[in-house]
Amino acid sequence: MDDFIITAKSNSILSFVLDKLKTEYIVKNINPTNGSQKFLGMDLTVKKNKVNRVIQISLSQKNYIEDFMKYLKIPIPKRRVETPLTPNFYFDTDQEHLELNKQEIKEAITKYRSVTGVLLYLSTMTRPDITYAINYLARFAEYPHQKLFKQLYRIANYCYFTRNCEIIYRKSNIDPKRLICYTDSDYAQDIITRKSMNGFITILNGGPVNWGAKYTSLVCKSSTEAELQALVLGTNEIVWFKELMKFIGNVNNLTYKPIVYVDNQSAIDTVTFANYSSKSKHYMVRLKILIERFKTLKWFDISQVKSEEQLADILTKPVNIKVMNHIRGKILKEI
């Protein structure tokens, strides 16, 4: 068995569940100290008001970052690193050749995987701002080129310099139970396959709860097609997450339908008015799914957002310092 967290509406229910578990397993119960507790490399802090109601939950991995930098012996530069990847960095294996012998390649692959592994875990748990960067570099785990190592260490150093960033959830009177999802796509990004990179991030109670980045399975013929693929990805996650919330019993009913923000008006019009043509047949199945979810099932609302406010932008491409600082400040709080 591994570590896990049990939540309930009352201490009596918690005690009941723990007593039942203790009849079958050896259980070590770790209570939080002053509202803080470590869990699987995360620092979790719960703040309550005078009547013992939760008003804020924060998640960070500052200690995890400091520990893996020491463990993996990653050199720390004197100058602060502002973005996970060098802006506009892309790698072509056909243009960059490995100048290593078999033994050197084997050792480099092991090192590359070690660093990639800890960064992937970090991106999955609390750092959506590095998700695109580490997912992109993880593709080259069997091709440990020096240029890729440089970018891999850059991500680690970026995490170190921003290790005080936290995900914060606060109770709010403004749409506290409304899921907000941002979806975006970088058209034909992959320089080898020309597939587009899709990204989504879902916000609840002021903080990100789910995010991801993934290349399209189809090669898109336009930016609108690429944005529609990202919409499919995002709404897939919304459907799943709504069911998850019902299952855990914490949010039985959403205050409003989830809303999806897209920065491509053409994609919005395609879904809203179903204005597609016979030329769209190659991706018609995904388009039909979107239209059914929006018009027939009414599972979500859709709205346009300015490109500079598109939070999923950092999940689709290596952005510049200005964009990264702006969006990171929207989804994470640096203490």
Side-chain angles (χ1 to χ4, degrees):
M1 296 295 290
D2 210 336
D3 297 348
F4 59 93
I5 295 175
I6 303 174
T7 63
K9 293 182 178 179
S10 67
N11 288 327
S12 60
I13 296 175
L14 285 175
S15 298
F16 174 79
V17 173
L18 282 171
D19 289 341
K20 286 291 185 180
L21 287 171
K22 288 177 181 178
T23 62
E24 300 290 336
Y25 307 99
I26 299 174
V27 176
K28 181 181 179 182
N29 186 23
I30 304 175
N31 293 313
T33 303
N34 297 323
S36 299
Q37 184 172 342
K38 292 185 181 298
F39 181 76
L40 297 177
M42 288 189 296
D43 297 314
L44 184 152
T45 303
V46 178
K47 290 184 180 180
K48 299 182 179 181
N49 58 18
K50 293 181 180 179
V51 293
N52 207 34
R53 289 189 176 181
V54 176
I55 59 173
Q56 178 177 300
I57 298 174
S58 61
L59 300 173
S60 72
Q61 289 184 278
K62 177 182 177 181
N63 293 323
Y64 176 82
I65 293 170
E66 292 176 347
D67 289 343
F68 80 64
M69 292 293 285
K70 293 177 182 177
Y71 176 74
L72 295 173
K73 299 179 180 178
I74 297 175
I76 302 171
K78 294 181 179 180
R79 186 176 179 180
R80 180 183 171 96
V81 178
E82 298 288 355
T83 60
L85 287 180
T86 300
N88 299 314
F89 172 82
Y90 297 106
F91 187 80
D92 188 350
T93 53
D94 292 334
Q95 300 295 324
E96 304 289 350
H97 302 289
L98 280 175
E99 297 179 356
L100 301 172
N101 59 43
K102 289 185 178 180
Q103 182 60 32
E104 289 173 332
I105 291 176
K106 184 177 180 180
E107 292 174 356
I109 287 175
T110 300
K111 179 70 172 179
Y112 195 95
R113 287 177 174 176
S114 296
V115 180
T116 300
V118 296
L119 291 174
L120 280 171
Y121 180 70
L122 185 63
S123 73
T124 301
M125 303 304 288
T126 62
R127 296 301 297 266
D129 53 330
I130 69 167
T131 296
Y132 166 78
I134 189 58
N135 282 6
Y136 181 79
L137 294 185
R139 300 171 57 206
F140 305 100
E142 298 296 322
Y143 201 83
H145 194 278
Q146 189 60 37
K147 285 188 177 181
L148 294 170
F149 260 112
K150 183 178 180 180
Q151 294 299 319
L152 201 60
Y153 288 153
R154 181 187 175 94
I155 299 175
N157 283 311
Y158 166 81
C159 292
Y160 179 81
F161 286 112
T162 58
R163 62 191 183 281
N164 290 322
C165 285
E166 296 182 334
I167 293 178
I168 294 180
Y169 306 105
R170 291 191 178 98
K171 201 164 187 178
S172 170
N173 293 326
I174 304 175
D175 294 354
K177 295 181 181 179
R178 187 172 200 176
L179 274 175
I180 301 171
C181 182
Y182 294 81
T183 68
D184 194 28
S185 183
D186 191 24
Y187 172 56
Q189 182 203 94
D190 189 275
I191 59 179
I192 300 173
T193 66
R194 285 306 170 191
K195 291 184 177 180
S196 304
M197 174 60 78
N198 295 336
F200 74 92
I201 184 166
T202 309
I203 308 292
L204 184 65
N205 283 332
V209 291
N210 193 20
W211 57 85
K214 183 180 180 181
Y215 275 108
T216 54
S217 56
L218 298 173
V219 177
C220 301
K221 297 172 66 176
S222 69
S223 59
T224 298
E225 287 185 20
E227 294 285 354
L228 289 168
Q229 301 300 311
L231 258 171
V232 173
L233 176 64
T235 54
N236 283 346
E237 296 297 324
I238 285 177
V239 172
W240 171 82
F241 199 80
K242 282 178 62 180
E243 295 303 313
L244 174 65
M245 290 193 296
K246 291 179 182 179
F247 175 76
I248 64 178
N250 191 32
V251 181
N252 293 319
N253 295 296
L254 295 175
T255 307
Y256 305 100
K257 286 187 293 184
I259 184 168
V260 183
Y261 286 109
V262 183
D263 61 9
N264 184 298
Q265 186 61 52
S266 179
I268 295 174
D269 290 343
T270 301
V271 176
T272 305
F273 305 111
N275 59 344
Y276 52 86
S277 66
S278 58
K279 295 180 180 180
S280 306
K281 186 176 180 180
H282 58 288
Y283 70 105
M284 187 61 70
V285 173
R286 291 171 174 80
L287 187 54
K288 283 289 188 181
I289 289 173
L290 275 177
I291 293 172
E292 181 182 43
R293 288 173 177 174
F294 177 75
K295 298 182 73 70
T296 307
L297 300 175
K298 300 184 184 302
W299 280 354
F300 66 93
D301 292 328
I302 189 169
S303 182
Q304 188 177 24
V305 65
K306 294 180 180 179
S307 296
E308 57 267 25
E309 298 300 325
Q310 174 54 270
L311 302 189
D313 193 31
I314 61 173
L315 293 160
T316 64
K317 62 179 76 70
V319 298
N320 60 39
I321 295 174
K322 181 180 178 180
V323 174
M324 177 57 69
N325 287 342
H326 176 68
I327 295 179
R328 187 179 66 238
K330 294 279 187 179
I331 60 178
L332 301 170
K333 304 303 178 184
E334 192 164 1
I335 58 173

